[in-house]
Amino acid sequence: MRQRSLVVLALALLVATTTGCTVERHWGGGSQAGGGGKAKVGLVTKTDTNPYFVELRAAAKAAADANGADFSALAGQFDGDNDGQVRAIENLMQQGANTILITPSSSTGVLDAIDRARKSGILVIALDTATEPASAVDATFATDNFEAGRQQGAYVKAALGGQAPKFFMVDGTAGSTVDTQRHGGFLKGIGLTDASPEIKGKVAANGDQSMAQQGVENLLQRTTDINSVYTMNEPMGRGTYAALQARGLVSKVVMGSIDGGCEGVHNVKDGQYAATVMQFPKKMAEQGVLAAVEYAKTGKKPSGFINTGSVVITDKPVPGVDSKDTAWGLQNCWGAK
């Protein structure tokens, strides 16, 4: 009996030892820490349908392929799907990623998962959207979203030509760093505050075109006495345009947006809105992947905030606001600046 117990114990120890080695080899701290290995890059975006994140993902994959890095992309199901992003981080950790690039839907909601990833030796870089605090990730490659909002606000103010602004604010996802910064930047650029009576209505549309259209239609039932609109991104700009068009208000309203995708530049060229502020997600993705490759080779990590730039795109330039026309915009939309 004692001999049989010893055999069972020996087999149990053998299984435990073998399993432990497998875990270490596949996703343990040794395989995830940087230095002397191949880059295994995981990307987590807010959604996999928004054109902006589709482009960012394509640019990241192209950069990974060009630099011999493994690449895997996951996403939340909708803008604001924090739980989906947490599950994506956990899945990438299990897959053995040694760098995770993330555009967090919530600036704070993924912090615990990010902390677990970093403690296991994974380099974590925020793209497009900063975390709160910023030190929750190793580095951030993004647009200065406050500045992008300020540029939009400054343009709208100048384009009104001295008229007092009367405007709607079509916001994104409440609590998102990007939403908060662009909103605040716009108000800075137009010279007002959240308490200003010039704001005739606000709606949060989670970055979604249909939600923006419905939200603005609801606002227009209360008042049509507006001459301008802030939109947080271009899909919401298109939804807002549809609502304004149905009321015959397009020619009476100066509308700005932010993104600078090729479709958005065409929207500006076609007169759906007066200006958009172009971002450069390709640059964010490429720089993030290159940092991942460097980390896998040498263990060197990037740090701090790296601003990837923004440019006002319009065919109606105004004094005091630097801008490029839509011809330039179509040549550079979402590409390297």
Side-chain angles (χ1 to χ4, degrees), residues 158-176:
L160 286 172
Q163 295 181 63
K166 296 178 287 184
F167 62 99
F168 292 155
M169 298 195 76
V170 186
D171 291 310
T173 302
S176 160

Side-chain angles (χ1 to χ4, degrees), residues 129-240:
T129 304
T131 54
E132 289 183 10
S135 58
V137 293
D138 292 288
T140 301
F141 296 85
T143 305
D144 182 337
N145 283 294
F146 186 89
E147 173 60 15
R150 189 204 64 76
Q151 288 171 294
Q152 185 189 154
Y155 179 88
V156 170
K157 180 178 180 178
L160 286 172
Q163 295 181 63
K166 296 178 287 184
F167 62 99
F168 292 155
M169 298 195 76
V170 186
D171 291 310
T173 302
S176 160
T177 305
V178 170
D179 181 66
T180 300
Q181 291 176 344
R182 292 183 184 180
H183 178 106
F186 178 86
L187 291 175
K188 177 72 173 179
I190 205 167
L192 298 169
T193 71
D194 269 313
S196 297
E198 289 88 348
I199 302 174
K200 302 303 180 181
K202 300 176 186 175
V203 62
N206 288 8
D208 182 78
Q209 180 171 335
S210 296
M211 288 182 66
Q213 181 175 347
Q214 183 61 58
V216 174
E217 286 171 353
N218 292 339
L219 292 177
L220 288 170
Q221 290 177 7
R222 303 175 197 169
T223 181
T224 58
D225 185 24
I226 59 170
N227 58 16
S228 45
V229 178
Y230 157 82
T231 64
M232 196 278 286
N233 72 4
E234 289 170 354
M236 296 194 299
R238 288 186 279 275
T240 299

Side-chain angles (χ1 to χ4, degrees), residues 254-274:
V254 176
M255 181 165 64
S257 197
I258 301 173
D259 269 346
C262 296
E263 185 177 0
V265 177
H266 276 294
N267 294 154
V268 173
K269 184 176 181 180
D270 296 341
Q272 289 193 28
Y273 31 90

Side-chain angles (χ1 to χ4, degrees), residues 14 24 37 48 51 63 65 85 113 116 130 136 272 300:
L14 178 61
E24 177 71 18
D48 58 7
D65 291 345
Q85 288 201 315
R116 290 195 297 275
Q272 289 193 28
K300 181 181 178 181

Side-chain angles (χ1 to χ4, degrees):
M1 190 74 176
R2 185 172 183 275
Q3 188 175 27
R4 181 180 174 185
S5 298
L6 289 171
V7 169
V8 170
L9 178 60
L11 287 171
L13 287 170
L14 178 61
V15 170
T17 303
T18 304
T19 304
C21 289
T22 301
V23 171
E24 177 71 18
R25 195 165 55 243
H26 184 55
W27 65 73
S31 66
Q32 290 174 337
K38 182 177 184 179
K40 299 178 181 179
V41 184
L43 172 67
V44 182
T45 52
K46 296 179 183 181
T47 73
D48 58 7
T49 56
N50 184 310
Y52 181 86
F53 297 116
V54 170
E55 177 63 28
L56 190 146
R57 183 175 67 241
K61 185 180 186 309
D65 291 345
N67 288 277
D70 291 340
F71 181 78
S72 179
L74 299 172
Q77 294 184 346
F78 52 88
D79 198 331
D81 182 13
N82 184 70
D83 290 342
Q85 288 201 315
V86 169
R87 288 192 296 272
I89 292 170
E90 292 169 347
N91 286 340
L92 290 170
M93 290 174 67
Q94 292 177 355
Q95 290 175 27
N98 45 35
T99 293
I100 293 177
L101 311 175
I102 181 168
T103 63
S105 284
S106 166
S107 303
T108 58
V110 291
L111 297 190
D112 286 346
I114 288 174
D115 184 57
R116 290 195 297 275
R118 293 181 72 190
K119 284 179 177 176
S120 73
I122 298 174
L123 170 66
V124 181
I125 297 173
L127 302 182
D128 177 72
T129 304
T131 54
E132 289 183 10
S135 58
V137 293
D138 292 288
T140 301
F141 296 85
T143 305
D144 182 337
N145 283 294
F146 186 89
E147 173 60 15
R150 189 204 64 76
Q151 288 171 294
Q152 185 189 154
Y155 179 88
V156 170
K157 180 178 180 178
L160 286 172
Q163 295 181 63
K166 296 178 287 184
F167 62 99
F168 292 155
M169 298 195 76
V170 186
D171 291 310
T173 302
S176 160
T177 305
V178 170
D179 181 66
T180 300
Q181 291 176 344
R182 292 183 184 180
H183 178 106
F186 178 86
L187 291 175
K188 177 72 173 179
I190 205 167
L192 298 169
T193 71
D194 269 313
S196 297
E198 289 88 348
I199 302 174
K200 302 303 180 181
K202 300 176 186 175
V203 62
N206 288 8
D208 182 78
Q209 180 171 335
S210 296
M211 288 182 66
Q213 181 175 347
Q214 183 61 58
V216 174
E217 286 171 353
N218 292 339
L219 292 177
L220 288 170
Q221 290 177 7
R222 303 175 197 169
T223 181
T224 58
D225 185 24
I226 59 170
N227 58 16
S228 45
V229 178
Y230 157 82
T231 64
M232 196 278 286
N233 72 4
E234 289 170 354
M236 296 194 299
R238 288 186 279 275
T240 299
Y241 171 79
L244 294 173
Q245 186 181 45
R247 290 293 192 112
L249 294 173
V250 171
S251 63
K252 301 176 182 179
V253 171
V254 176
M255 181 165 64
S257 197
I258 301 173
D259 269 346
C262 296
E263 185 177 0
V265 177
H266 276 294
N267 294 154
V268 173
K269 184 176 181 180
D270 296 341
Q272 289 193 28
Y273 31 90
T276 190
V277 182
M278 181 177 286
Q279 305 182 88
F280 299 94
K282 182 179 179 182
K283 182 184 289 187
M284 299 175 199
E286 289 175 346
Q287 291 185 359
V289 169
L290 289 175
V293 171
E294 179 67 22
Y295 176 62
K297 288 180 179 177
T298 68
K300 181 181 178 181
K301 295 182 178 182
S303 62
F305 179 85
I306 295 88
N307 180 14
T308 50
S310 57
V311 175
V312 174
I313 304 296
T314 184
D315 286 332
K316 299 175 181 178
V318 295
V321 178
D322 291 336
S323 65
K324 300 287 188 180
D325 63 18
T326 57
W328 186 95
L330 290 172
Q331 292 176 348
N332 293 275
C333 44
W334 283 347
K337 181 180 173 186

